[in-house]
Amino acid sequence: MSTHKKKILTGTVKRHPDGFGFFIPDDKEHPDVYIPRNSMEGVMTNDKVTVEVYPEKNSDRFRGEIIRVVQRGTKTFVGRFYRLNDKLGILRDEGKGWGQDLKIKIEDSMNAKDKELVAAEVISYPEDGKSFTGKVTSVIGNALDPLTDIKRVILSSGIPQDFSAETLEEAKRFKEVPDERDYKGRKDLRDIDLITIDGATAKDFDDAVYVEMNQEGFLLYVAIADVSHYVQVGSAIDRDAYERGTSVYFPNFVVPMLPEVLSNGLCSLNPHVPRLCMVAEMQFDFTGEMTRSDFYEAVMESKARVTYGEAQEVIDGNGAEKFNHVKDNILRLADLAKILMAKRFKEGSLDLEIPETELVIDGAGVPIDIQRSERLFAHRLIEEMMLAANVAVAKFLNGKKVPALFRIHEPPNEMAIRTLEKYMATFGGKTKLGQGKLQKRLTKALEEFENRPEAQILNILTLRSMSQAKYSPNNVGHFGLGFEDYSHFTSPIRRYPDLIIHRLLKTQVVKSNQYRLMSEDDLATAGTILSAAEQRSTKAERQVQSIKKARFMEKFLGQEFDGMISSVAKFGIFVLLREYDIDGLVRLDDLGHDRFEFDEENLCLVAKRSGMSYNIGDSIRIQVSAADPELGQINFVKAGMEIRDEMEDEFDDESGEQKSPAARSAEKYLNRLRKKEKETSEWSGEERRRNDRRQGDRRNNDSDKKSFSVREDRKGHKEHKERRDKDRGAKPSVKEDRNPNQKSRFFGDKRQDSKGQEEKQQKAMQFRPADRENDSKKGPDESLLRMILGPTEYRKAKGEDSDDKPKLSKKLLFAEQSKLRDNDDYSEMNSDSLKDRKPNRKDSKKRGSTSNDSRGVRKARVSQGRGKGKTR
């Protein structure tokens, strides 16, 4: 990479909430480029920019400096209007996608009230010395609730949202700062330069770190908020926290495990205020081996609140002056992290780099960008410190023979590893996974694909092959991390298992009768309950991600994007977009004219006639065909396939349960009628049949009156004869169908309700613009459009409100949604909606059906975590 010189590129920039950015070049062959914080001043997400790009030293990554903004990506902003005074108000940058708040003069506010939702137009962007200003163009009021999607998921998931009255009463007794009496018996660490490193949107800081060097090596202090001091066993707060099990993190919203007075107050290690903490003090030699550890209660004071982006700037040598007093600490932490990482990977810890999804949401709850949250070294730095503390505590408790709640991860089963090995071999991998220590073999196998398109896909496939980590008193070790002893100690504000570990640790290191050991039965029960709570919250977070992604893609219906095939299945391919961290399904019927079959041996789709194939990692251009925010579903078609759908596949799915090519054609037709303002009329099925008999062959010769079916124009008299024969009850000849090996999608259909279905078929086949002069002002057949589109899509096409659509109970609604997402292993092959899929090509009604048919749209894959690191 060092041979590459600086170059000037144009493309789109994504602003990370921490302030740095990632640049996606228009040149598809060039990798994404990291943009440091100091170059993102005044630049917003989705802006078109010109960047000077150069390779990083001793790395395959690229770094860039923004030269100029070519075009702004957002011109209208939505959010809550906050009145600051009689002259000025602001729209807050809640999603951290703008870089700063939008200032609005009161005279430009359209008299919006405080905290009302508004839409604002930009007057000036933050460039050339100008400030970021705008004016309100419409007052939305409270018609839109930003939390509607989130509230729906919270309720359907059964996540407790409101604290009990007793808990709220207990919370009132806490003060803003610790009482001096609480310092008794604690070590005073207020003179040590402990700092917090966290995400820009984080509000609860449960860990602070500091490292110093001595003759033995590195002495590391990891200070964790002392939640157990405030949350007493059996108290109302404790009962509510146990029921929740974990905090649940949604975009711009949190369902906390603890009341805010604790989670954002007394138990949050905010800068420059005294806080009670539990400390893991660890001595490492220069090879990263822990030689001793000590645990005790302390009082501390954070010297700085640093974001990941700011920490990375310090590591890169471009840190702000305000961090000069903690700069050396950050650099020493970076040195220790590198040593610990090298040791961990050498011993077999898996390094699965799977970027998390970052949602940028405006004040109205509308997503303005969906991006891959690339992990910086600063993320890894803090992760290594937390891993070290978690291992040290687990080793200590295990050494003392204390029954405890461990974080365990069992090895994958043999079948899963064989399947993974098969995937790797298909992509050209040579490493065998059945020889030697499995973790090391996996790491070596994944290294073969470094910097190749398949790398990200194989990381995900490897993760899918693993069993799920959980909490248990039976310490079987952590396979993924390669640790024999591992517990969760570092996040007691947001995870109840960590609170249990704190209490158990205090039974050994604090001279007090306040804390008690737990029986193995109680620990086993807690492990089961808290593992289930964790899965519940993870599922809810993924569900909201899916809904927001679908809501985001609604505005791109019909637009084309470049993407990469991320997965191949019997029923189609999943495509991951290049520009946004979004994937969707392209069904077999939307891939091309050929008939594709799944090659299980080579894990690809192959066309029988042409030999064309679709493989994982292939680039493909797609068109967005459907997005359903209620279910969180997104569908694509291969770019250019819409024309084929209209001409040849109008009646692919007569059931009306899912939008089909027929529905798409009907929608297009309805739009064309509106645009051209054609005068049409509404005829019943019986009237149409009588008219057909009356007009006879005149229909074929009337070239100015085109049928709804384009096929009729192409086939001429044969198609007309087939329809006429159908009207008269004759069976059409299979030979007249366009494909001699495939029965007609209508006439080959055997169904019980023959009379009703026959009427529907005839209506659909004969629907066309009316040619009666007296009825020229009437529109298309409303009942037929309703039948083809379905009630919901029909109302959308008509621009009507959907208040009258049938309502499902919350339980039924969630049950339907759960079919798509009950998939803890990140695998579409394991999901209820996609397993047991057996395409039936002879019966059009059963084509592509499943036992739990949700039309094959997979939930979006999202990594766990909230930017704090997967292992924390």
Side-chain angles (χ1 to χ4, degrees):
M1 288 292 180
S2 57
T3 58
H4 288 274
K5 296 180 180 179
K6 289 185 179 182
K7 59 178 82 172
I8 306 297
L9 297 174
T10 303
T12 306
V13 71
K14 303 289 185 178
R15 185 184 187 90
H16 190 277
D18 281 350
F20 58 88
F22 274 89
F23 170 72
I24 303 174
D26 290 337
D27 179 1
K28 297 176 189 176
E29 301 301 319
H30 198 285
D32 292 353
V33 179
Y34 169 71
I35 309 293
R37 280 171 53 91
N38 56 14
S39 186
M40 288 292 292
E41 191 70 35
V43 180
M44 301 179 185
T45 200
N46 289 328
D47 282 353
K48 198 86 169 176
V49 295
T50 300
V51 174
E52 185 180 50
V53 177
Y54 53 92
E56 290 185 350
K57 290 181 180 179
N58 304 317
S59 173
D60 294 317
R61 293 177 58 172
F62 284 85
R63 182 176 287 258
E65 297 288 332
I66 293 177
I67 299 172
R68 64 179 175 275
V69 177
V70 178
Q71 183 181 351
R72 291 292 181 175
T74 312
K75 295 178 175 62
T76 301
F77 296 82
V78 179
R80 291 198 182 276
F81 178 74
Y82 292 89
R83 291 179 72 103
L84 299 182
N85 49 48
D86 293 337
K87 293 183 179 181
L88 190 67
I90 59 168
L91 258 63
R92 287 183 181 160
D93 181 19
E94 296 182 51
K96 306 294 182 186
W98 313 342
Q100 55 187 283
D101 297 334
L102 177 65
K103 299 185 179 100
I104 296 174
K105 293 179 180 178
I106 294 299
E107 58 259 35
D108 293 332
S109 68
M110 292 183 68
N111 297 319
K113 298 176 183 176
D114 188 45
K115 296 182 182 177
E116 263 191 322
L117 278 172
V118 300
E121 192 177 83
V122 176
I123 296 174
S124 66
Y125 288 94
E127 56 190 359
D128 300 328
K130 299 177 184 176
S131 57
F132 187 32
T133 61
K135 63 179 180 180
V136 174
T137 54
S138 65
V139 178
I140 303 169
N142 293 316
L144 292 176
D145 186 344
L147 301 177
T148 298
D149 290 335
I150 293 171
K151 285 179 178 175
R152 176 158 59 91
V153 171
I154 289 171
L155 290 170
S156 61
S157 300
I159 294 170
Q161 191 175 4
D162 299 318
F163 289 107
S164 65
E166 294 89 347
T167 291
L168 295 176
E169 193 61 36
E170 284 184 10
K172 289 179 183 176
R173 302 172 194 165
F174 295 114
K175 300 175 183 177
E176 290 186 6
V177 292
D179 197 300
E180 286 283 345
R181 290 174 296 180
D182 294 330
Y183 300 167
K184 187 178 179 182
R186 291 177 178 267
K187 188 177 283 192
D188 193 338
L189 300 182
R190 282 177 285 185
D191 291 336
I192 291 182
D193 289 341
L194 284 155
I195 60 170
T196 61
I197 302 178
D198 231 307
T201 56
K203 294 180 180 178
D204 53 348
F205 311 113
D206 38 23
D207 53 78
V209 289
Y210 173 77
V211 68
E212 61 186 41
M213 294 190 69
N214 53 30
Q215 291 182 343
E216 297 177 55
F218 298 87
L219 182 61
L220 172 66
Y221 294 83
V222 175
I224 306 298
D226 193 357
V227 177
S228 62
H229 177 81
Y230 299 104
V231 182
Q232 304 296 316
V233 176
S235 64
I237 292 177
D238 185 51
R239 289 196 301 271
D240 276 8
Y242 186 59
E243 184 186 6
R244 281 165 162 73
T246 178
S247 296
V248 189
Y249 293 88
F250 299 111
N252 299 358
F253 186 75
V254 180
V255 181
M257 186 180 81
L258 300 173
E260 192 171 345
V261 67
L262 291 176
S263 60
N264 291 356
L266 272 174
C267 293
S268 184
L269 306 182
N270 301 322
H272 313 302
V273 290
R275 288 289 184 258
L276 306 184
C277 60
M278 277 294 294
V279 176
E281 183 183 316
M282 297 157 280
Q283 177 69 53
F284 294 92
D285 63 22
F286 290 103
T287 66
E289 191 71 43
M290 187 175 70
T291 55
R292 68 172 187 274
S293 62
D294 194 14
F295 308 95
Y296 49 84
E297 292 180 316
V299 56
M300 61 157 285
E301 190 174 296
S302 172
K303 296 299 184 291
R305 181 264 197 270
V306 187
T307 69
Y308 291 121
E310 290 166 342
Q312 189 64 48
E313 294 291 295
V314 172
I315 295 167
D316 293 339
N318 303 315
E321 288 186 13
K322 65 177 180 177
F323 296 122
N324 282 347
H325 65 297
V326 295
K327 176 182 174 182
D328 291 340
N329 181 25
I330 294 174
L331 294 176
R332 287 193 300 269
L333 285 164
D335 290 340
L336 175 58
K338 290 172 186 174
I339 293 171
L340 293 176
M341 279 173 60
K343 179 177 182 294
R344 184 161 63 85
F345 295 143
K346 184 181 177 183
E347 292 176 353
S349 185
L350 293 179
D351 184 23
L352 298 178
E353 274 295 310
I354 301 174
E356 298 176 6
T357 296
E358 193 77 51
L359 272 70
V360 184
I361 308 292
D362 67 18
V366 178
I368 59 176
D369 194 22
I370 313 284
Q371 55 185 260
R372 276 180 285 278
S373 178
E374 303 289 346
R375 295 211 306 151
L376 307 176
F377 177 72
H379 290 90
R380 287 177 167 268
L381 179 157
I382 202 69
E383 228 174 64
E384 290 302 323
M385 304 305 119
M386 298 305 107
L387 288 173
N390 286 336
V391 169
V393 170
K395 281 186 174 179
F396 176 78
L397 292 175
N398 205 26
K400 294 281 187 179
K401 308 295 182 187
V402 174
L405 196 61
F406 296 95
R407 180 68 169 176
I408 66 168
H409 184 220
E410 295 169 307
N413 64 58
E414 190 177 342
M415 185 63 69
I417 292 300
R418 281 183 188 172
T419 304
L420 180 62
E421 191 175 50
K422 187 176 174 182
Y423 273 108
M424 291 178 170
T426 302
F427 298 148
K430 297 175 183 177
T431 302
K432 299 294 182 184
L433 301 181
Q435 305 165 359
K437 191 174 182 180
L438 181 55
Q439 289 103 320
K440 290 186 177 182
R441 305 302 296 177
L442 278 169
T443 299
K444 185 179 179 182
L446 292 171
E447 283 175 354
E448 290 184 43
F449 297 93
E450 205 168 343
N451 299 319
R452 284 172 55 182
E454 299 93 336
Q456 183 182 348
I457 306 301
L458 282 173
N459 278 330
I460 293 169
L461 292 173
T462 304
L463 186 64
R464 288 179 190 167
S465 70
M466 302 290 154
S467 57
Q468 194 166 27
K470 58 186 178 182
Y471 298 105
S472 172
N474 181 23
N475 183 22
V476 297
H478 198 292
F479 173 83
L481 294 172
F483 296 143
E484 292 182 6
D485 301 293
Y486 189 66
S487 63
H488 271 171
F489 161 76
T490 54
S491 297
I493 294 176
R494 60 189 182 95
R495 291 190 307 226
Y496 197 89
D498 302 56
L499 182 54
I500 290 177
I501 290 294
H502 274 239
R503 289 168 178 164
L504 294 175
L505 185 61
K506 285 189 176 185
T507 63
Q508 306 301 306
V509 301
V510 177
K511 296 177 181 178
S512 170
N513 295 324
Q514 183 181 344
Y515 304 99
R516 297 274 190 274
L517 294 176
M518 293 177 66
S519 70
E520 291 199 14
D521 284 345
D522 288 344
L523 286 168
T525 301
T528 302
I529 292 172
L530 296 172
S531 294
E534 179 195 30
Q535 292 163 21
R536 177 182 65 188
S537 68
T538 301
K539 187 176 178 181
E541 288 167 6
R542 288 184 198 156
Q543 197 171 339
V544 168
Q545 294 263 13
S546 299
I547 290 169
K548 294 297 186 187
K549 286 183 176 185
R551 197 174 292 289
F552 180 73
M553 291 307 291
E554 272 188 309
K555 61 186 175 187
F556 296 117
L557 287 175
Q559 292 192 31
E560 295 184 2
F561 293 92
D562 290 312
M564 180 182 71
I565 297 175
S566 59
S567 186
V568 178
K570 294 179 181 179
F571 45 84
I573 59 174
F574 289 96
V575 176
L576 181 67
L577 300 186
R578 182 170 181 265
E579 190 171 344
Y580 302 106
D581 189 20
I582 290 172
D583 62 354
L585 174 69
V586 184
R587 296 189 183 90
L588 286 180
D589 289 341
D590 297 322
L591 280 173
H593 301 259
D594 218 329
R595 181 179 175 183
F596 288 89
E597 290 192 352
F598 183 60
D599 183 348
E600 196 169 354
E601 201 61 36
N602 297 305
L603 303 167
C604 63
L605 287 175
V606 182
K608 267 199 162 184
R609 285 183 296 188
S610 65
M612 179 185 179
S613 66
Y614 288 102
N615 304 272
I616 291 177
D618 287 353
S619 295
I620 184 172
R621 190 162 179 83
I622 58 88
Q623 190 173 20
V624 183
S625 62
D628 186 342
E630 287 194 21
L631 297 177
Q633 301 179 11
I634 301 169
N635 279 88
F636 301 144
V637 297
K638 188 181 176 185
M641 285 302 297
E642 285 293 286
I643 299 171
R644 184 187 73 88
D645 288 339
E646 187 177 12
M647 294 179 65
E648 297 185 6
D649 281 341
E650 299 163 3
F651 310 110
D652 184 50
D653 184 3
E654 313 90 278
S655 66
E657 295 174 5
Q658 176 77 10
K659 191 197 295 189
S660 64
R664 292 198 290 271
S665 295
E667 274 188 323
K668 284 184 175 182
Y669 183 68
L670 184 60
N671 290 334
R672 281 203 303 272
L673 290 179
R674 280 173 170 171
K675 289 177 184 176
K676 297 178 182 178
E677 297 181 348
K678 286 187 177 180
E679 298 176 347
T680 58
S681 65
E682 183 179 10
W683 284 15
S684 69
E686 285 298 320
E687 288 173 331
R688 171 65 68 192
R689 283 195 292 276
R690 284 198 296 271
N691 187 66
D692 284 349
R693 294 188 186 102
R694 210 165 41 241
Q695 290 185 350
D697 290 342
R698 193 175 68 189
R699 184 184 302 163
N700 285 334
N701 301 324
D702 192 354
S703 59
D704 293 329
K705 298 172 184 175
K706 292 191 177 181
S707 165
F708 175 60
S709 170
V710 182
R711 283 184 292 179
E712 183 175 353
D713 294 331
R714 295 172 62 199
K715 291 187 176 181
H717 184 69
K718 284 186 179 180
E719 184 71 5
H720 161 67
K721 182 177 180 298
E722 189 175 77
R723 289 189 183 179
R724 188 182 61 198
D725 290 343
K726 179 66 181 177
D727 287 345
R728 294 173 180 171
K731 292 183 179 179
S733 170
V734 173
K735 292 180 182 179
E736 292 183 2
D737 197 61
R738 63 184 170 84
N739 185 349
N741 298 321
Q742 185 177 344
K743 294 183 180 179
S744 165
R745 289 177 176 170
F746 271 93
F747 302 121
D749 195 10
K750 310 284 187 185
R751 286 186 271 197
Q752 298 297 320
D753 186 10
S754 58
K755 185 176 179 182
Q757 294 300 336
E758 185 179 294
E759 286 184 10
K760 281 188 178 184
Q761 292 165 11
Q762 290 168 346
K763 277 180 116 178
M765 292 291 286
Q766 296 160 356
F767 176 58
R768 53 187 284 168
D771 48 13
R772 294 199 300 177
E773 294 180 4
N774 295 337
D775 294 335
S776 61
K777 292 187 179 181
K778 291 187 179 181
D781 189 331
E782 302 288 332
S783 61
L784 180 59
L785 283 179
R786 185 183 290 271
M787 181 197 80
I788 295 176
L789 295 174
T792 304
E793 294 299 326
Y794 174 79
R795 277 190 292 272
K796 286 182 184 176
K798 293 283 289 179
E800 296 175 358
D801 199 353
S802 58
D803 288 341
D804 59 330
K805 74 176 182 178
K807 302 268 193 310
L808 290 174
S809 72
K810 290 173 183 174
K811 285 186 178 179
L812 281 175
L813 182 64
F814 182 57
E816 286 298 310
Q817 294 167 345
S818 296
K819 290 179 185 177
L820 302 172
R821 297 183 188 80
D822 194 6
N823 180 13
D824 290 324
D825 290 330
Y826 295 79
S827 170
E828 75 279 353
M829 299 303 292
N830 292 338
S831 89
D832 290 336
S833 62
L834 304 180
K835 67 184 180 182
D836 304 325
R837 176 178 287 273
K838 297 174 183 176
N840 188 326
R841 305 198 178 279
K842 293 183 179 180
D843 189 342
S844 62
K845 188 180 178 185
K846 296 179 181 177
R847 190 177 296 119
S849 64
T850 67
S851 58
N852 285 319
D853 195 5
S854 60
R855 298 298 173 206
V857 180
R858 169 184 66 171
K859 57 108 188 106
R861 287 195 302 271
V862 181
S863 306
Q864 294 185 34
R866 59 182 180 100
K868 276 198 156 193
K870 296 188 287 295
T871 54
R872 295 175 66 189

